[in-house]
Amino acid sequence: MAIPSAQMESMTSLSNDLFYDILRRLDGPTLASAACTCAAFCSISREERLWENVCSSMWPSTGREDVKSLISSIGGFKKFYADCFPLIVNKEVTEYQRNEYLEDSEEWTEAEYYGDMDESEGISPSDFVSLVDIRYKDRPVCSKVLWGIPNANGINGWFYNCPFRVDLLTYLSSRDNDRDDEVTLSVSDGLPPVTSMERERKDGKLWQELRDGLRLSWIIVNRKAKQAANLASWSPLGGQRHWPTDKDFVIRFGSVLSAKDILPCQVVECVLIMKFRMTRMEGEGVHTTLKLTELSMQLEDMEGTHVNGRNSLLILKGALSCRRSKNYSEVLESCYLYSKVQSELREEKMRNENRLDRLCILSGITAFATLWYYYIL
């Protein structure tokens, strides 16, 4: 909607400092919208300081000095926000691809499936940086930065042929040897009090609060390519409560990434796992407390098999330039479509295995009957 000329004249009489003071109070989407309203706002909105404030508010991990230097080296905070605020959308899981995967996955040779060393020589694990932020009820509770990919030294090392997995907490705690840097949630953070696990199993109030309140951002930056992308779904896609012990809560985030020309399934799921364990229950002088015990990332194909290190690097590199959307419902639709196709694939595989089992049994019975017939004769 156009601004009336009278209002425009009064706005132009205001100083740029006042404009800046107005814009610095806005969040990212509002700041981007304000930049389209008038020339003054458009000019001031190009200020990197504004977008630095937006990014540090959205992702506290970007407030570190080393991360600020990293973001400046890949194009600045405005570009970084434009790359990482929209979430990854992938709708390449079509009926054609399902059929193609069922028919052609077994035709791939071992060299094709595990990848060519030459293809990944230009991608170094040290090029990647992970910026991880957790919020609970819109309050930051954890910010971590991981430079490179742990245990990936050497091009001929085991990393390239073994399942890819980044266990963020385990690596950082072993490297920094800092046990005081634990991430906890308690009643003071908004958790409902839990007096017994039996009651929690019945009403599931704590589990529901975690599902509704937790938000995860896992941004990967490629320093060499000067690109960044957010691999998380922001809100949980699913999870399990009380697993594997009675006091564990596992929450799953993620996204669907393209694996075209890398794996036969053409798409994979980036699985981000957050696990909390109840360390204290409500009692006299004690409040319900949860401790973050796992924060990990891995890539899985349609059959749930972990993708190896070499192919994971290729997929992550491709994710930096994939399609994204600010429409969160479109992001969820992409993830749920993948889950639906994955379930259909597993059911089809089970049906094929059952048919094969019946055929083997029938063949065995026929062979036994034939032998018995000749034995009687």
Side-chain angles (χ1 to χ4, degrees):
M1 183 175 67
I3 299 177
S5 58
Q7 291 183 2
M8 184 67 71
E9 290 176 3
S10 63
M11 290 180 66
T12 55
S13 64
L14 298 175
S15 67
N16 285 344
D17 290 339
L18 182 57
F19 281 154
Y20 179 86
D21 191 60
I22 294 172
L23 295 180
R24 73 179 180 83
R25 303 172 189 272
L26 305 180
D27 60 15
T30 309
L31 177 58
S33 299
C36 301
T37 59
C38 66
F41 278 4
C42 179
S43 176
I44 298 173
S45 67
R46 297 191 182 98
E47 286 283 342
E48 274 291 290
R49 289 178 298 168
L50 289 174
W51 292 103
E52 181 179 338
N53 292 338
V54 168
C55 288
S56 62
S57 176
M58 182 82 178
W59 307 293
S61 60
T62 62
R64 290 179 31 163
E65 291 302 321
D66 53 352
V67 177
K68 289 181 182 180
S69 299
L70 169 67
I71 295 175
S72 298
S73 70
I74 65 171
F77 283 92
K78 184 177 181 180
K79 178 180 181 296
F80 180 82
Y81 182 86
D83 288 341
C84 301
F85 179 74
L87 300 179
I88 292 175
V89 173
N90 193 314
K91 294 186 178 181
E92 296 178 2
V93 189
T94 62
E95 187 69 33
Y96 168 77
Q97 285 180 333
R98 287 203 295 269
N99 293 334
E100 283 291 302
Y101 178 63
L102 289 171
E103 294 172 4
D104 299 338
S105 60
E106 295 183 358
E107 296 180 5
W108 281 49
T109 65
E110 183 176 353
E112 289 174 327
Y113 188 86
Y114 286 103
D116 185 1
M117 182 70 75
D118 293 337
E119 293 179 0
S120 57
E121 282 183 348
I123 310 172
S124 172
S126 61
D127 293 336
F128 290 93
V129 181
S130 292
L131 310 178
V132 183
D133 293 281
I134 301 175
R135 289 178 174 268
Y136 181 67
K137 294 189 174 180
D138 205 32
R139 187 181 71 86
V141 295
C142 174
S143 294
K144 302 289 184 181
V145 178
L146 178 63
W147 297 84
I149 296 176
N151 305 316
N153 296 328
I155 191 70
N156 294 318
W158 60 269
F159 166 82
Y160 287 84
N161 296 313
C162 289
F164 172 83
R165 176 182 169 86
V166 176
D167 196 333
L168 190 66
L169 294 184
T170 300
Y171 175 74
L172 291 179
S173 62
S174 64
R175 186 194 65 179
D176 300 335
N177 196 25
D178 186 4
R179 297 184 179 274
D180 296 329
D181 194 24
E182 293 183 347
V183 179
T184 60
L185 293 176
S186 64
V187 173
S188 61
D189 297 311
L191 285 181
V194 177
T195 55
S196 71
M197 289 306 298
E198 183 178 356
R199 181 175 180 180
E200 164 60 22
R201 278 193 295 269
K202 291 180 180 179
D203 59 32
K205 189 176 181 180
L206 175 60
W207 170 247
Q208 191 60 46
E209 287 286 334
L210 289 175
R211 288 283 307 270
D212 294 342
L214 282 171
R215 298 292 181 265
L216 173 66
S217 172
W218 191 310
I219 295 173
I220 59 166
V221 181
N222 188 305
R223 291 182 283 181
K224 186 176 181 179
K226 300 185 183 302
Q227 294 176 304
N230 198 337
L231 300 178
S233 51
W234 189 234
S235 62
L237 298 174
Q240 295 173 298
R241 59 176 179 159
H242 319 311
W243 182 93
T245 71
D246 195 44
K247 297 182 179 181
D248 282 331
F249 298 82
V250 179
I251 301 147
R252 181 175 61 85
F253 301 79
S255 55
V256 180
L257 307 180
S258 174
K260 189 175 182 180
D261 300 326
I262 302 174
L263 293 175
C265 56
Q266 304 295 306
V267 288
V268 300
E269 183 179 16
C270 177
V271 181
L272 306 174
I273 296 296
M274 185 189 303
K275 183 192 292 185
F276 282 92
R277 173 166 293 179
M278 183 175 293
T279 57
R280 295 176 182 173
M281 284 190 290
E282 205 73 14
E284 186 174 350
V286 179
H287 295 295
T288 302
T289 303
L290 298 180
K291 175 185 174 183
L292 182 65
T293 58
E294 180 181 332
L295 189 56
S296 64
M297 172 176 63
Q298 60 196 36
L299 303 186
E300 297 180 0
D301 66 13
M302 276 287 185
E303 295 184 344
T305 303
H306 293 187
V307 181
N308 65 25
R310 180 186 294 109
N311 288 334
S312 293
L313 290 182
L314 293 171
I315 292 170
L316 290 177
K317 180 184 178 183
L320 296 170
S321 55
C322 67
R323 179 174 174 248
R324 297 159 224 198
S325 174
K326 299 176 184 177
N327 185 348
Y328 186 64
S329 61
E330 188 178 9
V331 175
L332 289 181
E333 182 184 354
S334 170
C335 296
Y336 292 147
L337 175 62
Y338 181 91
S339 297
K340 179 183 176 183
V341 174
Q342 188 179 49
S343 297
E344 292 174 355
L345 177 64
R346 288 173 177 171
E347 292 173 1
E348 179 66 21
K349 185 177 180 180
M350 289 181 62
R351 284 194 294 267
N352 291 338
E353 290 176 350
N354 289 336
R355 283 194 290 264
L356 183 60
D357 289 343
R358 289 195 295 268
L359 181 60
C360 291
I361 293 172
L362 181 60
S363 300
I365 293 174
T366 303
F368 178 79
T370 302
L371 291 174
W372 182 255
Y373 174 77
Y374 284 111
Y375 176 77
I376 294 176
L377 291 180

